[in-house]
Amino acid sequence: MASRRRIGILTGGGDCPGLNAVIRAVVLSAASGMGWEVLGIEDGFDGLLHDRIRPLESDDVRGILTQGGTILGTTNRGNPFAWPVERDGRREVIDASRTVLKRLETLRLDALLVIGGDGTLHIADALCRMGAPIVGIPKTIDNDISATDVTFGFDTARLTATEAIDKLHTTAESHHRIMVVETMGRNAGWIALESGIAGGANSVLIPEVPFRIEVVAQAIEERAARGRRFSIVVVSEGAVQVGGAQVVQEEGGPGRLPRLGGIGQQVAAALGDVTGRETRCTVLGHLQRGGSPTPFDRLLATRFGVRAVECVMENRQGQMVALRGPSVVAVPISEAIAEPKRVAPDGELARTARELGISLGDEV
Ligand code: F6P
């Protein structure tokens, strides 16, 4: 049997379906399989700094494979390099990264498994450079991490968005309306474009292809001239008009990205004005982050969890697990986060959409 090791695991950033499947896989393979100690750290780096840590055994992960969310809790405001504290009644932002390192030492962790998206993996990379023994596990519904073919969470979010488009189709057709659907995805248009193609949308607006409202309106009118009096327009929350800026719900701050949202409503209002047609907007929002993970996401998350434990065994700290073709491999975290993964405006997926007659809002 391998020597008894002690590993910590935390989930950081926005949640997504499949996080519990990773936690389960790690606990089953490390604790039950190899006899290692597994410590669950609550609410990302918050739990490490505030000592909210508990041992995880196989009984703790029973029944969680099918559950969305994370039994450990998470936060997308927990960056140790920009840590908000109260001092003398005033709020300050400090660098708590050295405290994180000390905590890892005190806990005598052989490795810390950090499950996170782009933001959390950047934090993990910076901590690794300071000597933290981290193994990264990518997650996000946005699918914007280039080192891996796909992240878990994305398939479930895409299913939710596709099902929503399917449902909106019937009511759009009955009422001869333009239905605008706003999806998440931050600066990446994967959820919008893939669910738009899978759901048979007529226009898809994504951050990677700035749009003109007149172009979208013209595509709708041309459809109407062919007797199709309704249209479905999928808008990614990060989509921008040519020469415009992203629509923000809440400005960012230290360690916090701006919260996007609202472009769907703007597009719906503008299309109503330009076409004179009845228009409605549905914002899918956090529905895309919830629910039971699809079999694909359960499987990928489970493979990532098992491979991450193998990485610890192989002393591959500083690496992140990633899907490449048929295999789950390990790549340096620094390499994995170097470039975000975006939809290529002239790539195969965008071309597929265009060739089906789906308007991306940049050309008719
Ligand atoms: O990164 C995942 C994500 O759901 C994005 O698609 C979205 O922009 C953001 O998180 C929403 O964050 P919050 O949960 O803070 O509203």
Side-chain angles (χ1 to χ4, degrees):
M1 185 165 99
S3 63
R4 184 168 166 83
R5 299 192 190 193
R6 179 184 253 205
I7 59 175
I9 180 167
L10 63 80
T11 48
D15 69 346
C16 76
L19 290 170
N20 282 328
V22 182
I23 298 168
R24 171 180 175 271
V26 166
V27 171
L28 294 185
S29 64
S32 317
M34 306 203 207
W36 297 359
E37 243 182 300
V38 181
L39 299 182
I41 298 161
E42 294 176 5
D43 304 329
F45 292 100
D46 267 33
L48 203 54
L49 289 167
H50 293 139
D51 206 16
R52 292 197 305 275
I53 298 171
R54 60 177 197 262
L56 292 177
E57 311 266 357
S58 55
D59 274 355
D60 299 305
V61 296
R62 191 162 289 155
I64 68 170
L65 174 64
T66 58
Q67 286 173 16
T70 160
I71 59 163
L72 292 175
T74 187
T75 171
N76 52 13
R77 304 193 164 197
N79 180 351
F81 292 92
W83 195 255
V85 287
E86 291 257 332
R87 266 190 201 150
D88 307 327
R90 290 209 338 255
R91 256 179 104 73
E92 276 180 31
V93 175
I94 61 160
D95 179 354
S97 54
R98 300 236 156 257
T99 318
V100 168
L101 291 195
K102 277 200 205 106
R103 290 288 298 137
L104 295 178
E105 253 178 62
T106 316
L107 288 166
R108 290 182 292 102
L109 292 183
D110 293 293
L112 175 66
L113 306 190
V114 173
I115 314 173
D118 188 54
T120 307
L121 290 168
H122 270 90
I123 297 168
D125 181 49
L127 290 169
C128 279
R129 289 170 198 278
M130 295 168 72
I134 291 176
V135 172
I137 303 174
K139 63 89 217 179
T140 166
I141 64 163
D142 303 340
N143 195 30
D144 58 356
I145 297 172
S146 52
T148 181
D149 291 353
V150 67
T151 48
F152 65 83
F154 173 67
D155 187 55
T156 310
R158 180 177 56 185
L159 175 67
T160 300
T162 306
E163 285 177 348
I165 295 168
D166 289 350
K167 288 182 178 165
L168 289 168
H169 247 108
T170 52
T171 177
E173 188 157 16
S174 309
H175 286 264
H176 320 297
R177 282 176 172 157
I178 302 170
M179 300 301 266
V180 175
V181 189
E182 183 183 297
T183 65
M184 280 188 167
R186 225 185 276 277
N187 299 316
W190 299 107
I191 299 176
L193 188 53
E194 296 202 4
S195 64
I197 295 173
N202 311 110
S203 296
V204 180
L205 310 179
I206 56 174
E208 296 87 343
V209 181
F211 68 93
R212 291 183 199 278
I213 208 74
E214 300 73 30
V215 174
V216 184
Q218 193 179 335
I220 289 169
E221 291 308 335
E222 286 179 2
R223 229 176 101 71
R226 295 194 302 274
R228 314 294 285 158
R229 291 158 64 203
F230 73 96
S231 281
I232 304 280
V233 179
V234 179
V235 184
S236 179
E237 64 179 0
V240 281
Q241 300 212 42
V242 172
Q246 283 181 327
V247 181
V248 168
Q249 289 276 312
E250 192 186 340
E251 293 299 336
R256 195 158 46 84
L257 292 168
R259 190 154 62 83
L260 300 176
I263 183 71
Q265 198 58 55
Q266 289 193 3
V267 166
L271 287 176
D273 286 348
V274 177
T275 65
R277 295 178 187 277
E278 246 196 313
T279 307
R280 298 285 186 273
C281 174
T282 303
V283 178
L284 298 183
H286 293 80
L287 283 176
Q288 295 157 101
R289 293 236 301 259
S292 180
T294 60
F296 179 91
D297 280 341
R298 291 179 204 182
L299 185 61
L300 183 60
T302 299
R303 292 171 72 194
F304 277 2
V306 168
R307 186 73 188 99
V309 171
E310 286 173 2
C311 283
V312 178
M313 175 100 98
E314 296 159 7
N315 291 318
R316 287 178 182 270
Q317 285 82 341
Q319 308 242 308
M320 182 193 90
V321 297
L323 183 70
R324 295 271 173 90
S327 312
V328 175
V329 299
V331 294
I333 299 178
S334 53
E335 201 178 286
I337 57 169
E339 274 294 314
K341 183 164 72 183
R342 300 278 186 261
V343 175
D346 297 314
E348 185 265 334
L349 196 63
R351 278 202 325 274
T352 299
R354 291 181 201 279
E355 283 171 28
L356 291 173
I358 297 174
S359 168
L360 300 189
D362 57 338
E363 56 188 45
V364 184

